[in-house]
């Protein structure tokens, strides 16, 4: 069964509260999305495997721990997921980056695919799918299915704000995918927006409204 991790860290809670403000401009919004992504990435990588390495310090030889070299990839769901990439790469700089383009049809709320470019060896990688918003779950469920269809086996999903409806849909569709959520909100409104949420994440990141 999928594990759902809702972030408790005070820095994450503070920053998410900050970006909900209607009057926060795009520059600050973008910067904080990136910082929050970095902090959620820190939590979502707690169980990465380590291996022993022997190194020489200026004082002596010692056996220490370093990452076991597992290949990673970050896959943002376009557009808004792009806002989380820089923060993710600050934590895991060796990760490759793939892109999945989906938009939500405003009438049906169903995802429409328009782009997919993944690392050639993506099926060998542990993949972190990122999107600030998990609303109905249509976009994340579809993006993860696209990765599974390409043979990817180890997938985690990271978002900044989630609605309970989206979390349930994800758990049903992809019980093998752990979910890392910055804040779990109350519900969706009649237009499929998260309440209280932060509005349209893509528009706020790119200043398109
Ligand atoms: C937003 C968001 C998610 C999706 C979430 O993207 O970034 O991808 O909606 O909603 P869902 O869980 O109901 O699918 P949007 O479709 O607005 O596209 P954009 O990122 O290009 O603005
Ligand atoms: N997409 C967003 O950007 N915001 C929401 O609240 C729901 C979907």
């Amino acid at each position: 069964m999928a594990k759902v991790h809702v972030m408790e860290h005070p820095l994450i809670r503070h920053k998410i509260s900050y970006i909900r403000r209607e009057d926060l401009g795009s520059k600050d919004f973008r910067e904080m999305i990136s910082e929050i992504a970095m902090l959620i990435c820190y939590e979502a990588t707690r169980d990465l495997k380590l291996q022993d390495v022997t190194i020489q310090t200026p004082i002596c030889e010692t056996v220490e721990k370093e990452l076991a070299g597992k290949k990673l990839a970050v896959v943002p769901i376009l557009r808004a997921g792009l806002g989380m990439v820089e923060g993710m790469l600050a934590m895991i700089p060796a990760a490759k980056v793939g892109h999945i383009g989906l938009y939500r049809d405003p009438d049906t709320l169903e995802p429409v695919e328009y782009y997919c470019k993944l690392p050639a060896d993506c099926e060998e990688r542990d993949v972190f799918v990122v999107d600030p918003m998990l609303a109905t779950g249509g976009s994340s469920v579809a993006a993860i299915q696209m990765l599974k269809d390409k043979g990817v086996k180890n997938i985690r999903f990271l978002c900044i704000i989630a609605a309970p409806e989206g979390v349930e849909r994800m758990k049903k569709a992809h019980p093998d995918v752990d979910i890392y959520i910055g804040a779990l909100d109350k519900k969706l409104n009649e237009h499929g927006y998260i309440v209280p949420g932060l509005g349209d994440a893509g528009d706020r990141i790119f200043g398109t409204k």
Side-chain angles (χ1 to χ4, degrees):
M1 199 37 163
K3 285 200 200 98
V4 178
H5 307 259
V6 181
M7 304 293 110
E8 300 289 343
H9 198 292
L11 289 178
I12 299 179
R13 296 187 70 165
H14 174 84
K15 286 173 194 287
I16 292 177
S17 166
Y18 205 86
I19 60 171
R20 291 181 191 275
R21 288 176 164 75
E22 185 178 27
D23 56 359
L24 188 72
S26 279
K27 175 177 177 291
D28 292 333
F29 186 86
R30 243 188 335 262
E31 284 174 6
M32 296 198 86
I33 287 276
S34 189
E35 286 172 21
I36 295 163
M38 188 167 71
L39 294 168
I40 299 176
C41 181
Y42 176 82
E43 297 288 348
T45 48
R46 274 186 183 279
D47 59 350
L48 287 186
K49 298 277 176 299
L50 295 170
Q51 64 187 13
D52 287 346
V53 285
T54 305
I55 55 166
Q56 180 72 43
T57 76
I59 308 299
C60 68
E61 191 175 275
T62 175
V63 178
E64 300 296 331
K65 299 279 183 200
E66 287 183 0
L67 288 173
K70 180 82 186 136
K71 291 171 160 187
L72 305 176
V74 178
V75 175
I77 302 176
L78 306 181
R79 284 177 304 170
L82 287 174
M84 296 176 70
V85 173
E86 193 183 310
M88 295 292 294
L89 292 179
M91 291 290 100
I92 45 172
K96 295 271 195 286
V97 182
H99 296 86
I100 290 180
L102 293 173
Y103 70 88
R104 223 169 52 145
D105 182 289
D107 299 321
T108 65
L109 300 183
E110 285 305 311
V112 181
E113 178 189 336
Y114 62 89
Y115 190 74
C116 182
K117 182 78 180 171
L118 300 170
D121 58 354
C122 69
E123 71 284 354
E124 294 167 22
R125 294 178 178 269
D126 287 358
V127 174
F128 296 81
V129 178
V130 296
D131 190 326
M133 309 305 274
L134 171 58
T136 66
S139 305
S140 48
V141 165
I144 289 166
Q145 193 55 53
M146 287 163 72
L147 290 168
K148 288 184 173 176
D149 291 346
K150 303 260 183 204
V152 181
K153 282 170 204 69
N154 294 311
I155 303 172
R156 291 162 199 218
F157 179 71
L158 282 65
C159 63
I160 291 181
I161 297 184
E165 295 89 331
V167 176
E168 283 314 304
R169 186 160 168 188
M170 276 281 286
K171 280 165 61 180
K172 273 207 192 83
H174 299 298
D176 54 321
V177 174
D178 287 353
I179 308 172
Y180 295 82
I181 299 171
L184 183 58
D185 276 11
K186 288 197 183 70
K187 59 174 185 175
L188 295 175
N189 69 13
E190 63 279 22
H191 305 293
Y193 277 85
I194 300 175
V195 181
L198 49 69
D200 187 306
D203 282 341
R204 296 201 59 187
I205 291 169
F206 296 108
T208 39
K209 215 167 214 170

